[in-house]
Amino acid sequence: MSELVFRHRFITSPTTKPNTKKQDKDQLGGEIKDHMIEPLTLLLLHGTGGNEDDLIPIGQKICPSASLLSPRGKVLENGMPRFFKRLSEGVFDMEDLKYRTTELADFLKEASKVYSFDLSKTIAVGFSNGANIATSVLISYPKLLAGAILFRAMVPFVPDSSLDLTEKKVFLSAGRFDPMVSENQTMDLFEILKKNKAQVLLKWQQSGHNLIEADIIDSKYWITENFY
């Protein structure tokens, strides 16, 4: 087993039961859906100053049947964990972003082997800095994730024209009064995802940079509509 390089938590889906496929089929007369055997996995990516515990309750609300993989960002900014360095507010260290994106993608691939979950049923759920690196993973490794829920995300970088996000589903949840992510930044990200063929839904919340209950309710509805 290779070393998993992030401090993290993994919570197995409560619906996962070994060797239950035939039994469940019999009980339901053959009317069984794939997700009952192979549940979704949510990759939870916290914001600046967060840790691997922060988004666990939110992940459990968004999709109670999902497995949860929650790493802690390895970069420290004044003692606060992040997933990549920044030069100032909203100005990213692009070399570090590229390195950390690859590091996180490799961790995700390795974790899928260690915990036996399906990458094709894995959805990133990121907030702020976590949403930005989730977007970076999505557009740098488009085959790795099934989709993403992005809370208060910016454009991490503008991808080249060869990007193809066909069949990738993205829920972009933005704060109407966010002092850190402008409306233009949100719209730029929305247009980049749409231009590259992602199935993206943008929802404006009556909030600032903070998460509110509507973020959770809307993302839960979106994940049910798109993955079940």
Side-chain angles (χ1 to χ4, degrees), residues 56-80:
I56 295 290
I58 290 175
Q60 291 171 328
K61 288 181 180 178
I62 291 174
C63 188
S65 63
S67 295
L68 305 176
L69 175 64
S70 186
R72 178 186 295 194
K74 296 173 68 175
V75 172
L76 292 179
E77 181 182 273
N78 298 322
M80 299 185 295

Side-chain angles (χ1 to χ4, degrees), residues 166-201:
T166 301
E167 298 185 357
K168 302 302 174 183
K169 299 175 181 177
V170 181
F171 178 63
L172 182 57
S173 191
R176 182 70 73 185
F177 313 110
D178 191 335
M180 299 177 67
V181 183
S182 70
E183 181 174 337
N184 285 343
Q185 289 171 319
T186 296
M187 291 309 302
D188 285 347
L189 177 56
F190 175 76
E191 293 298 334
I192 287 172
L193 293 170
K194 189 176 178 182
K195 177 183 176 183
N196 289 285
K197 304 176 184 177
Q199 299 173 39
V200 55
L201 174 65

Side-chain angles (χ1 to χ4, degrees), residues 34-98:
D34 288 342
H35 69 266
M36 295 181 68
I37 300 301
E38 299 181 40
L40 296 176
T41 296
L42 303 185
L43 171 65
L44 304 177
L45 302 168
H46 62 77
T48 300
N51 61 39
E52 66 274 24
D53 296 327
D54 281 13
L55 296 185
I56 295 290
I58 290 175
Q60 291 171 328
K61 288 181 180 178
I62 291 174
C63 188
S65 63
S67 295
L68 305 176
L69 175 64
S70 186
R72 178 186 295 194
K74 296 173 68 175
V75 172
L76 292 179
E77 181 182 273
N78 298 322
M80 299 185 295
R82 285 174 52 86
F83 285 98
F84 61 91
K85 295 178 183 176
R86 60 182 170 183
L87 303 177
S88 62
E89 189 73 55
V91 181
F92 304 148
D93 182 327
M94 300 309 295
E95 286 299 316
D96 190 65
L97 173 59
K98 183 178 180 181

Side-chain angles (χ1 to χ4, degrees), residues 3-225:
E3 181 182 4
L4 292 175
V5 297
F6 283 81
R7 180 171 178 174
H8 67 281
R9 290 180 63 187
F10 183 80
I11 299 175
T12 302
S13 163
T15 67
T16 299
K17 297 177 183 177
N19 302 320
T20 57
K21 186 169 184 177
K22 184 177 184 304
Q23 181 183 14
D24 287 347
K25 271 191 172 180
D26 289 343
Q27 290 173 348
L28 298 174
E31 297 296 326
I32 188 169
K33 293 184 178 180
D34 288 342
H35 69 266
M36 295 181 68
I37 300 301
E38 299 181 40
L40 296 176
T41 296
L42 303 185
L43 171 65
L44 304 177
L45 302 168
H46 62 77
T48 300
N51 61 39
E52 66 274 24
D53 296 327
D54 281 13
L55 296 185
I56 295 290
I58 290 175
Q60 291 171 328
K61 288 181 180 178
I62 291 174
C63 188
S65 63
S67 295
L68 305 176
L69 175 64
S70 186
R72 178 186 295 194
K74 296 173 68 175
V75 172
L76 292 179
E77 181 182 273
N78 298 322
M80 299 185 295
R82 285 174 52 86
F83 285 98
F84 61 91
K85 295 178 183 176
R86 60 182 170 183
L87 303 177
S88 62
E89 189 73 55
V91 181
F92 304 148
D93 182 327
M94 300 309 295
E95 286 299 316
D96 190 65
L97 173 59
K98 183 178 180 181
Y99 172 78
R100 299 295 177 183
T101 297
T102 299
E103 182 182 50
L104 182 61
D106 289 343
F107 164 76
L108 179 58
K109 287 184 276 190
E110 194 61 35
S112 72
K113 299 173 185 174
V114 172
Y115 296 115
S116 300
F117 63 84
D118 187 347
L119 285 173
S120 71
K121 295 178 180 293
T122 298
I123 301 166
V125 180
F127 168 63
S128 191
N129 176 247
N132 296 336
I133 199 164
T135 306
S136 185
V137 170
L138 183 68
I139 60 184
S140 299
Y141 300 91
K143 294 182 179 179
L144 197 58
L145 295 166
I149 295 172
L150 306 173
F151 298 120
R152 316 302 185 259
M154 297 178 177
V155 178
F157 62 91
V158 178
D160 63 39
S161 58
S162 64
L163 181 63
D164 184 359
L165 295 175
T166 301
E167 298 185 357
K168 302 302 174 183
K169 299 175 181 177
V170 181
F171 178 63
L172 182 57
S173 191
R176 182 70 73 185
F177 313 110
D178 191 335
M180 299 177 67
V181 183
S182 70
E183 181 174 337
N184 285 343
Q185 289 171 319
T186 296
M187 291 309 302
D188 285 347
L189 177 56
F190 175 76
E191 293 298 334
I192 287 172
L193 293 170
K194 189 176 178 182
K195 177 183 176 183
N196 289 285
K197 304 176 184 177
Q199 299 173 39
V200 55
L201 174 65
L202 169 60
K203 179 75 175 184
W204 289 101
Q205 307 293 355
Q206 298 301 311
S207 74
H209 197 67
N210 58 303
L211 292 180
I212 61 174
E213 189 65 22
D215 287 297
I216 311 305
I217 294 170
D218 291 340
S219 54
K220 182 176 183 178
Y221 178 79
W222 174 84
I223 211 167
T224 301
E225 286 291 299

